[in-house]
Amino acid sequence: EIVLTQSPGTLSLSPGDRATLFCRASQSVSGNFLAWYQQKPGQAPRLLIYGASNRAIDMPDRFSGSGSGTDFTLTISRLEPEDFGVYFCQHYGRSPPVTFGQGTRLEIK
Amino acid sequence: VQLQESGPGLLKPSETLSLTCTLSGGSISTYYWSWIRQPPGKGLEFIGHIFYNGSTVYNPSVRSRVIMSVDRSRRQFSLELRSVTAGDTAVYYCARYTWLGVRAFDIWGLGTRVTVSS
């Protein structure tokens, strides 16, 4: 069973800062099936990154994803006020077929 | 493309949860149609999904209690979760999993809150 562990649990930053969020898999996974989502309070999650490094439609280019194997990273180059929320990584595999990380809360410092 | 969940918001323990998701715009074909839930203050849990042709993939944690179905003519897909407990209290989202190219949940419904309480 693949487990995704995200770090840090909470990240406190200011607008204009650079944010780096991590997602570690308990065993090597294909980046083709690794995605990142953003969730704002009271809203559904929204797809940010798919295939580890591809931005979803309409996602600003300040969001980028990278990584392979067991270690994946989501970077927000310059935080905007609307970027604060919770970020989840997710993998599609075999058993269980879909795994989500526990989330990183990005809050305004 | 939009998804909209519908169904009762309050159930008693041991009852069956029935939710429907309606697709507006786009095609119901060639996608997986998914159910994901989020308990209050917690993370996301995949329940399962159904391909447009009716084949299903369920999370082992709920497999014994869940049935999913799809009605292509009505552009709807449904979730039934039997024998609910307080642990099934959550916001339930329907979502589209695009397996060609994107390989992610790229469209989500707004979510519907379900509470299980006696």
Side-chain angles (χ1 to χ4, degrees):
Chain A
E1 177 181 340
I2 291 173
V3 176
L4 299 178
T5 301
Q6 293 186 240
S7 61
T10 301
L11 191 55
S12 298
L13 295 170
S14 301
D17 286 348
R18 179 184 184 90
T20 305
L21 288 68
F22 300 98
C23 177
R24 172 164 285 179
S26 58
Q27 57 188 277
S28 184
V29 300
S30 168
N32 290 334
F33 298 95
L34 195 288
W36 290 90
Y37 302 84
Q38 175 195 62
Q39 186 177 35
K40 297 180 183 179
Q43 296 185 18
R46 181 171 68 155
L47 177 65
L48 273 176
I49 299 286
Y50 65 92
S53 60
N54 302 288
R55 269 191 306 278
I57 292 173
D58 295 333
M59 286 296 114
D61 61 7
R62 63 180 180 273
F63 292 93
S64 62
S66 63
S68 63
T70 60
D71 293 300
F72 298 87
T73 302
L74 174 69
T75 302
I76 310 172
S77 58
R78 286 181 57 87
L79 284 167
E80 297 285 343
E82 62 266 28
D83 297 338
F84 294 91
V86 181
Y87 291 80
F88 295 96
C89 58
Q90 173 259 318
H91 178 258
Y92 191 98
R94 290 191 177 275
S95 185
V98 172
T99 304
F100 287 95
Q102 83 280 16
T104 289
R105 181 177 305 277
L106 179 57
E107 62 180 30
I108 299 176
K109 189 173 182 179
Chain B
V1 178
Q2 291 185 321
L3 295 171
Q4 177 67 60
E5 305 89 348
S6 58
L10 180 62
L11 289 93
K12 291 181 168 51
S14 80
E15 291 185 334
T16 295
L17 168 65
S18 295
L19 295 175
T20 296
C21 185
T22 302
L23 171 67
S24 301
S27 172
I28 202 164
S29 298
T30 71
Y31 296 101
Y32 281 98
W33 301 99
S34 313
W35 291 97
I36 295 162
R37 67 183 180 181
Q38 186 170 34
K42 296 190 177 181
L44 300 165
E45 180 186 23
F46 174 75
I47 300 171
H49 55 203
I50 185 165
F51 201 42
Y52 74 101
N53 65 2
S55 65
T56 54
V57 177
Y58 298 143
N59 189 326
S61 66
V62 295
R63 183 180 291 146
S64 63
R65 299 193 290 134
V66 69
I67 296 176
M68 293 183 184
S69 58
V70 61
D71 185 333
R72 292 161 65 177
S73 63
R74 302 184 67 178
R75 298 166 61 80
Q76 292 179 331
F77 58 102
S78 299
L79 166 70
E80 278 197 3
L81 183 65
R82 299 186 299 272
S83 304
V84 298
T85 70
D88 295 310
T89 293
V91 175
Y92 284 73
Y93 297 101
C94 59
R96 185 181 79 176
Y97 186 84
T98 297
W99 63 281
L100 285 173
V102 172
R103 296 172 180 171
F105 298 100
D106 60 349
I107 304 292
W108 294 68
L110 296 178
T112 187
R113 186 173 303 275
V114 173
T115 301
V116 180
S117 174
S118 55

